[in-house]
Amino acid sequence: MPPLSSILCINARLQFGTRASFRILHSSLVPQWNQTRGRGLASVAPSKKPYYITTPIFYVNADPHVGHLYTLVLTDVLKRWQVLCGKEAILCTGTDEHGMKIQQAAARAKTDPKTFCDKGAETFKDLARRIEISNDHFVRTTDSDHRDAVQHVWHLLQERGYIYQSKHEGWYSISDEAFYPKSAVHLIVDPPTGRKIMVSIETGKEVEWTSETNYHFRLSAFKDKLLDFYQQNPTFIVPQARHTAIVKAVESGLDDLSVSRPAERLSWGIPVPGDESQMIYVWLDALINYITKAGFPWAPGKESMGGWPADCHVIGKDITRFHCIYWPAFLLALDIPPPRQILTHAHWTLGHRKMSKSTGNVVNPFFALDRFGVDTMRFYLIHDGGLMDDSDYGNEFIIRAYKKSLQGSLGNLSSRITRTKQWSVRKAVQTKDSTSSDLDDQRMRELITELPNLVCEKMEKLNPGAALKDIMSLTYKTNAYITTTTPWSMVKQGHEQRANQIVFLAAESLRVTGILLQPYMPERAAFLLDVLGVDPSRRTFDDAKFGLDKDFGESRIPIEKGENGMMFPPLYSEV
């Protein structure tokens, strides 16, 4: 099943004259789960369902790091892209505030858990504001509506016979809030302390042997249903390699899942309805946040109004098992359609070493934002961040991206075209020759015309980084075009019409680029479009067609002299 964004891209390809033909099925627009036949026609019209995208909810036991920043920006770019394409879109983020490690962190801070969580939640809210995340919801697992949703889910699972009580023994990681089978742990020597400890092979986090009586979810009963779901939805997990890995993990067999902890060990959580001696497992609690803010439990006929099924969950690669196995199994048990896609991204390293609070090998995102600014950080994280492979973070890499791509290419192109008295951009737009036979002109027209389609195809595949590289490629080629065609020489030689043609193509390249950059760099893209004189009502994806806007060219803001008027002024520190 193609993701919803593909419908937008199919429309875009048709609008931009792509030769390929497409067959659009109603079942791909707004799927509704049917246990026997998979996804079928929705009972709610497609226009009624907004695009719904989520970040994971973040633990408040420690301060945010650059990985959180990356997840937030990646999700926000995808949400803003839908808005650019004319779609109503909802973004949900928030904080995970229950569990043993929150309880222990609050104890170390000598404060009660709720006060501790309040402080942590405000920190993450501040980060979302600072990086200009356009979230519509901020969910906290300590919210009363979430608590009600979790306990309602528990009742439903219990009524359907999917929950039972028994003794559980196994290796438990407080850091991961997860039990691991013997095959998933091994003995290592902890480098800082020299202690021999058991750790999770998957995450490297320490585990301890635990024996307790608690409630279990019949996960083993969902092996075949999950495999059928993965087969029917081959793009469910992105990138494809992680989809394949999850399928293999499920094929190897599933054990039933412990879904509660004794209250004598875990006091900070949501109690099991009817049995306050047990607390609901933090991951079952946490995953339900996605439907909480989509309005669950739903009134009949209102299931899609809040956006469910989610079009995309964006998560780090370390929590794929919880989101790609446990979560769809819970939903199938509830007869709720699973999310359409889950985008799993790679991690950031520092000095090619895994970031770790214990070793001090971390990056404070607030410091990075203070130094480089919001749009520069948004650009860098998406441009250099990885989906499949980890990326190495460094100030020198941010500076390199700024100097080469932002200041040296996009900013330089903007200055060359808009900050000179040698020509008038408005006159160039008015007198353009769309039939020029010059080979360089023809190639520029082709590049500008093709770009929206290229970007749309990458976005359809949930790869904003690749789309951004396509956008920047046009700025590099436009700069090269100007250098080759030398419009300033044309002016000096009296060839005003030729100069105007070159300036128009360069300005048109900037206009289309500015429109497509809005999800990535909202403030700087708006600045560029203002300087070009693009009316705010002409900045949608549909407006990013070659030659469509015939009214731009007169700056909407004063063009200041010196560094104040530059799109990307020089950096004063390069260390």
Side-chain angles (χ1 to χ4, degrees), residues 194-211:
R195 289 190 308 130
K196 291 183 177 180
I197 58 173
M198 297 295 290
V199 300
S200 161
I201 295 173
E202 180 182 357
T203 67
K205 302 297 185 181
E206 185 173 358
V207 297
E208 58 184 27
W209 183 257
T210 302
S211 178

Side-chain angles (χ1 to χ4, degrees), residues 168-408:
H168 185 89
E169 291 186 330
W171 294 99
Y172 189 78
S173 166
I174 294 174
S175 179
D176 296 335
E177 298 283 13
F179 279 102
Y180 290 101
K182 291 180 181 179
S183 61
V185 300
H186 64 169
L187 182 69
I188 68 163
V189 176
D190 185 39
T193 65
R195 289 190 308 130
K196 291 183 177 180
I197 58 173
M198 297 295 290
V199 300
S200 161
I201 295 173
E202 180 182 357
T203 67
K205 302 297 185 181
E206 185 173 358
V207 297
E208 58 184 27
W209 183 257
T210 302
S211 178
E212 58 192 36
T213 298
N214 50 28
Y215 291 93
H216 290 70
F217 172 72
R218 298 185 190 278
L219 182 64
S220 58
F222 287 87
K223 175 183 175 181
D224 291 340
K225 292 179 182 179
L226 285 170
L227 291 174
D228 287 345
F229 172 74
Y230 300 144
Q231 184 178 23
Q232 293 169 15
N233 298 273
T235 61
F236 175 57
I237 305 166
V238 178
Q240 181 63 39
R242 294 202 184 99
H243 184 97
T244 301
I246 286 293
V247 170
K248 288 181 179 178
V250 174
E251 285 175 340
S252 68
L254 296 172
D255 295 327
D256 287 352
L257 180 66
S258 173
V259 287
S260 73
R261 301 295 310 279
E264 62 187 22
R265 291 186 175 178
L266 174 64
S267 60
W268 182 241
I270 299 177
V272 168
D275 185 359
E276 296 206 351
S277 71
Q278 295 277 323
M279 291 290 177
I280 295 174
Y281 174 48
V282 66
W283 271 102
L284 175 57
D285 168 1
L287 288 165
I288 291 168
N289 94 85
Y290 299 125
I291 56 175
T292 297
K293 288 307 180 185
F296 180 85
W298 298 292
K302 303 293 185 180
E303 294 86 351
S304 297
M305 298 301 289
W308 199 263
D311 294 271
C312 184
H313 290 331
V314 179
I315 64 171
K317 65 179 181 180
D318 55 326
I319 52 176
T320 54
R321 178 162 53 96
F322 304 99
H323 282 79
C324 304
I325 299 177
Y326 300 168
W327 181 224
F330 293 149
L331 291 169
L332 294 178
L334 296 166
D335 288 332
I336 295 175
R340 287 170 168 164
Q341 287 190 291
I342 297 180
L343 173 60
T344 65
H345 65 73
H347 290 164
W348 287 86
T349 59
L350 187 61
H352 299 289
R353 293 186 298 119
K354 183 179 179 181
M355 291 190 186
S356 169
K357 294 186 293 291
S358 61
T359 62
N361 196 44
V362 292
V363 175
N364 185 315
F366 292 102
F367 292 169
L369 289 169
D370 287 341
R371 179 175 180 187
F372 295 110
V374 170
D375 278 4
T376 297
M377 287 302 299
R378 287 176 65 102
F379 176 90
Y380 167 70
L381 290 170
I382 300 301
H383 189 273
D384 283 26
L387 297 181
M388 194 63 212
D389 299 318
D390 292 348
S391 300
D392 200 43
Y393 181 96
N395 289 341
E396 66 274 24
F397 303 135
I398 302 173
I399 292 167
R400 181 180 65 191
Y402 185 91
K403 293 180 70 174
K404 177 188 175 183
S405 299
L406 298 181
Q407 182 189 42

